[in-house]
Amino acid sequence: MKQGWRNLDESDVRVRPTKGTRPRSKQRPKHSDAEQAMVITVDRGRWTCAVGDDPDRKVTAMRARELGRTPIVVGDRVDLVGDISGQTDTLARIVRVAERSSVLRRTADDTDAFERVVVANASQLVIVVALADPPPRPGFIDRCLVAAYAGGLAPVLCLTKADLAGAEALLAAYSGLDFNVVVTRFDEEPAELRRLLAGQVSALVGHSGVGKSTLVNKLLPGVDRATGAVSGVGKGRHTSTSTLALPLPVEVGGWVIDTPGIRSFGLAHVKPDDLVKHFDDLAETAEECPVNCGHLGPPADPDCALETLLAKGGPTADRIVSLRRLLVSKSGKEELVD
Ligand SMILES: Nc1nc2c(ncn2[C@@H]2O[C@H](COP(=O)(O)OP(=O)(O)OP(=O)(O)O)[C@@H](O)[C@H]2O)c(=O)[nH]1
Ligand SMILES: [Zn+2]
């Protein structure tokens, strides 16, 4: 069948259109046999992909020349052509990258305008924080929340090492926000977390030593991510640094994306409005704010429309206080970690 660009279905058309140009009809039929896959890790110009999202159909691929330097990251949905047998020494070609449903971005620090996407299409960001040893850093949590909201990921706060300290004091600070919180400890099954992860693509972030590997090993039996325990064979510990998507057991479904190299989020790319629009109950009022309102209220933003809601008190006021704390954390350099 002759296929012009008008005949393409919506998913074809929405694939990374260059600004102002239509998809070129010439190229499309050439790759009509392409297979869909998810990028599970990236290493020196080679992308490992799971064909059809099947973790057992792993294929190594290169980026087709026509894509130029288009960034392709873990979680990206791609179309593959060429040899997708997955056999040793075979190489497929990535010919398309689908539009992303979410992006976890970071800048090197708060003043650096250069941003990069580190994980694509994750539906949630699991922020792993120990209740003690190391002590929790609210600034880190706030910055992760900002990165999650701004990137379109639902935050989940996972508090580990519940055998060492309680969660009440920490959670009191977040009463104005609505996100899932789970509390775990290494001598108990993370059943609640497993339920939240089921069928989802979840990125995991956390500092070294918070018990992230311990958790991943419980969730994914057989994977054996390196934990802080020194191995018996005398080689010491090996800590992995590359971002990697790991399949949850089939009966659970979904993927966990471990991000061992990511310890902080520079948030230079996030604008106050990027955050406010995710607060459904505040967004409409904030539209009445002056242009470029930072939504912090006086003295920085004396004409912020949220002031009237704040004055009414109640749960909405709590939300404004929480939102403003996140906005401050976004620009608060003293909270930059690592
Ligand atoms: N008391 C207590 N200790 C824990 C718990 N979970 C993990 N630990 C210990 O905390 C240390 C760090 O755990 P890991 O799982 O290696 O932490 P990680 O976040 O993966 O750290 P990196 O491997 O450095 O990235 C280890 O000694 C674990 O045994 C817990 O629930 N309670
Ligand atoms: Zn405002």
Side-chain angles (χ1 to χ4, degrees), residues 89-101:
D89 295 333
T90 60
L91 199 55
R93 255 169 39 247
I94 299 174
V95 291
R96 275 192 284 265
V97 184
E99 190 186 19
R100 294 165 175 158
S101 59

PDB file of all heavy atoms in Angstrom, residues 89-101:
ATOM      1  N   ASP A  89      27.434 -10.349  18.935  1.00  0.00           N
ATOM      2  CA  ASP A  89      28.038  -9.615  17.820  1.00  0.00           C
ATOM      3  C   ASP A  89      27.048  -9.094  16.778  1.00  0.00           C
ATOM      4  O   ASP A  89      27.457  -8.720  15.686  1.00  0.00           O
ATOM      5  CB  ASP A  89      29.115 -10.455  17.105  1.00  0.00           C
ATOM      6  CG  ASP A  89      30.275 -10.734  18.030  1.00  0.00           C
ATOM      7  OD1 ASP A  89      30.491  -9.914  18.943  1.00  0.00           O
ATOM      8  OD2 ASP A  89      30.934 -11.772  17.876  1.00  0.00           O
ATOM      9  N   THR A  90      25.771  -9.108  17.094  1.00  0.00           N
ATOM     10  CA  THR A  90      24.830  -8.483  16.164  1.00  0.00           C
ATOM     11  C   THR A  90      24.490  -7.093  16.693  1.00  0.00           C
ATOM     12  O   THR A  90      24.600  -6.820  17.874  1.00  0.00           O
ATOM     13  CB  THR A  90      23.526  -9.288  16.017  1.00  0.00           C
ATOM     14  OG1 THR A  90      22.898  -9.371  17.305  1.00  0.00           O
ATOM     15  CG2 THR A  90      23.800 -10.675  15.473  1.00  0.00           C
ATOM     16  N   LEU A  91      24.109  -6.242  15.764  1.00  0.00           N
ATOM     17  CA  LEU A  91      23.835  -4.858  16.130  1.00  0.00           C
ATOM     18  C   LEU A  91      22.593  -4.389  15.371  1.00  0.00           C
ATOM     19  O   LEU A  91      22.548  -4.452  14.147  1.00  0.00           O
ATOM     20  CB  LEU A  91      25.051  -4.006  15.741  1.00  0.00           C
ATOM     21  CG  LEU A  91      25.242  -2.639  16.374  1.00  0.00           C
ATOM     22  CD1 LEU A  91      25.251  -2.730  17.897  1.00  0.00           C
ATOM     23  CD2 LEU A  91      26.538  -2.024  15.870  1.00  0.00           C
ATOM     24  N   ALA A  92      21.592  -3.931  16.118  1.00  0.00           N
ATOM     25  CA  ALA A  92      20.403  -3.371  15.474  1.00  0.00           C
ATOM     26  C   ALA A  92      20.594  -1.858  15.334  1.00  0.00           C
ATOM     27  O   ALA A  92      21.588  -1.310  15.807  1.00  0.00           O
ATOM     28  CB  ALA A  92      19.180  -3.684  16.321  1.00  0.00           C
ATOM     29  N   ARG A  93      19.648  -1.204  14.669  1.00  0.00           N
ATOM     30  CA  ARG A  93      19.725   0.253  14.510  1.00  0.00           C
ATOM     31  C   ARG A  93      18.468   0.906  15.054  1.00  0.00           C
ATOM     32  O   ARG A  93      17.353   0.481  14.754  1.00  0.00           O
ATOM     33  CB  ARG A  93      19.855   0.594  13.017  1.00  0.00           C
ATOM     34  CG  ARG A  93      21.243   1.009  12.628  1.00  0.00           C
ATOM     35  CD  ARG A  93      21.469   1.101  11.138  1.00  0.00           C
ATOM     36  NE  ARG A  93      20.409   1.626  10.325  1.00  0.00           N
ATOM     37  CZ  ARG A  93      19.729   0.905   9.425  1.00  0.00           C
ATOM     38  NH1 ARG A  93      19.989  -0.380   9.264  1.00  0.00           N
ATOM     39  NH2 ARG A  93      18.799   1.463   8.686  1.00  0.00           N
ATOM     40  N   ILE A  94      18.673   1.946  15.863  1.00  0.00           N
ATOM     41  CA  ILE A  94      17.521   2.713  16.364  1.00  0.00           C
ATOM     42  C   ILE A  94      17.181   3.757  15.312  1.00  0.00           C
ATOM     43  O   ILE A  94      18.021   4.594  14.978  1.00  0.00           O
ATOM     44  CB  ILE A  94      17.856   3.404  17.700  1.00  0.00           C
ATOM     45  CG1 ILE A  94      18.207   2.362  18.770  1.00  0.00           C
ATOM     46  CG2 ILE A  94      16.685   4.280  18.159  1.00  0.00           C
ATOM     47  CD1 ILE A  94      18.687   2.953  20.080  1.00  0.00           C
ATOM     48  N   VAL A  95      15.971   3.688  14.782  1.00  0.00           N
ATOM     49  CA  VAL A  95      15.609   4.623  13.716  1.00  0.00           C
ATOM     50  C   VAL A  95      14.586   5.672  14.171  1.00  0.00           C
ATOM     51  O   VAL A  95      14.370   6.653  13.481  1.00  0.00           O
ATOM     52  CB  VAL A  95      15.069   3.887  12.472  1.00  0.00           C
ATOM     53  CG1 VAL A  95      16.186   3.120  11.800  1.00  0.00           C
ATOM     54  CG2 VAL A  95      13.899   2.977  12.832  1.00  0.00           C
ATOM     55  N   ARG A  96      13.938   5.443  15.295  1.00  0.00           N
ATOM     56  CA  ARG A  96      12.988   6.433  15.805  1.00  0.00           C
ATOM     57  C   ARG A  96      12.995   6.420  17.323  1.00  0.00           C
ATOM     58  O   ARG A  96      13.190   5.380  17.939  1.00  0.00           O
ATOM     59  CB  ARG A  96      11.565   6.097  15.352  1.00  0.00           C
ATOM     60  CG  ARG A  96      11.202   6.614  13.983  1.00  0.00           C
ATOM     61  CD  ARG A  96       9.707   6.491  13.748  1.00  0.00           C
ATOM     62  NE  ARG A  96       9.322   5.118  13.473  1.00  0.00           N
ATOM     63  CZ  ARG A  96       9.200   4.618  12.238  1.00  0.00           C
ATOM     64  NH1 ARG A  96       9.423   5.374  11.191  1.00  0.00           N
ATOM     65  NH2 ARG A  96       8.836   3.367  12.053  1.00  0.00           N
ATOM     66  N   VAL A  97      12.744   7.588  17.887  1.00  0.00           N
ATOM     67  CA  VAL A  97      12.563   7.700  19.332  1.00  0.00           C
ATOM     68  C   VAL A  97      11.186   8.316  19.546  1.00  0.00           C
ATOM     69  O   VAL A  97      10.893   9.382  19.011  1.00  0.00           O
ATOM     70  CB  VAL A  97      13.642   8.608  19.968  1.00  0.00           C
ATOM     71  CG1 VAL A  97      13.492   8.618  21.486  1.00  0.00           C
ATOM     72  CG2 VAL A  97      15.033   8.151  19.580  1.00  0.00           C
ATOM     73  N   ALA A  98      10.348   7.639  20.314  1.00  0.00           N
ATOM     74  CA  ALA A  98       8.976   8.121  20.495  1.00  0.00           C
ATOM     75  C   ALA A  98       8.937   9.329  21.420  1.00  0.00           C
ATOM     76  O   ALA A  98       9.826   9.507  22.264  1.00  0.00           O
ATOM     77  CB  ALA A  98       8.106   7.000  21.056  1.00  0.00           C
ATOM     78  N   GLU A  99       7.894  10.107  21.278  1.00  0.00           N
ATOM     79  CA  GLU A  99       7.695  11.236  22.182  1.00  0.00           C
ATOM     80  C   GLU A  99       7.639  10.710  23.612  1.00  0.00           C
ATOM     81  O   GLU A  99       7.072   9.654  23.865  1.00  0.00           O
ATOM     82  CB  GLU A  99       6.375  11.934  21.828  1.00  0.00           C
ATOM     83  CG  GLU A  99       6.209  13.242  22.543  1.00  0.00           C
ATOM     84  CD  GLU A  99       4.839  13.865  22.291  1.00  0.00           C
ATOM     85  OE1 GLU A  99       3.930  13.126  21.879  1.00  0.00           O
ATOM     86  OE2 GLU A  99       4.709  15.063  22.514  1.00  0.00           O
ATOM     87  N   ARG A 100       8.220  11.457  24.535  1.00  0.00           N
ATOM     88  CA  ARG A 100       8.304  10.971  25.923  1.00  0.00           C
ATOM     89  C   ARG A 100       7.099  11.381  26.750  1.00  0.00           C
ATOM     90  O   ARG A 100       6.619  12.498  26.635  1.00  0.00           O
ATOM     91  CB  ARG A 100       9.571  11.531  26.565  1.00  0.00           C
ATOM     92  CG  ARG A 100      10.825  10.972  25.917  1.00  0.00           C
ATOM     93  CD  ARG A 100      12.046  11.770  26.289  1.00  0.00           C
ATOM     94  NE  ARG A 100      13.247  11.131  25.751  1.00  0.00           N
ATOM     95  CZ  ARG A 100      14.378  11.786  25.545  1.00  0.00           C
ATOM     96  NH1 ARG A 100      14.466  13.073  25.822  1.00  0.00           N
ATOM     97  NH2 ARG A 100      15.422  11.139  25.068  1.00  0.00           N
ATOM     98  N   SER A 101       6.649  10.465  27.607  1.00  0.00           N
ATOM     99  CA  SER A 101       5.524  10.790  28.479  1.00  0.00           C
ATOM    100  C   SER A 101       6.000  11.477  29.753  1.00  0.00           C
ATOM    101  O   SER A 101       5.229  12.127  30.449  1.00  0.00           O
ATOM    102  CB  SER A 101       4.740   9.517  28.817  1.00  0.00           C
ATOM    103  OG  SER A 101       5.582   8.593  29.462  1.00  0.00           O
TER     104      SER A 101
END
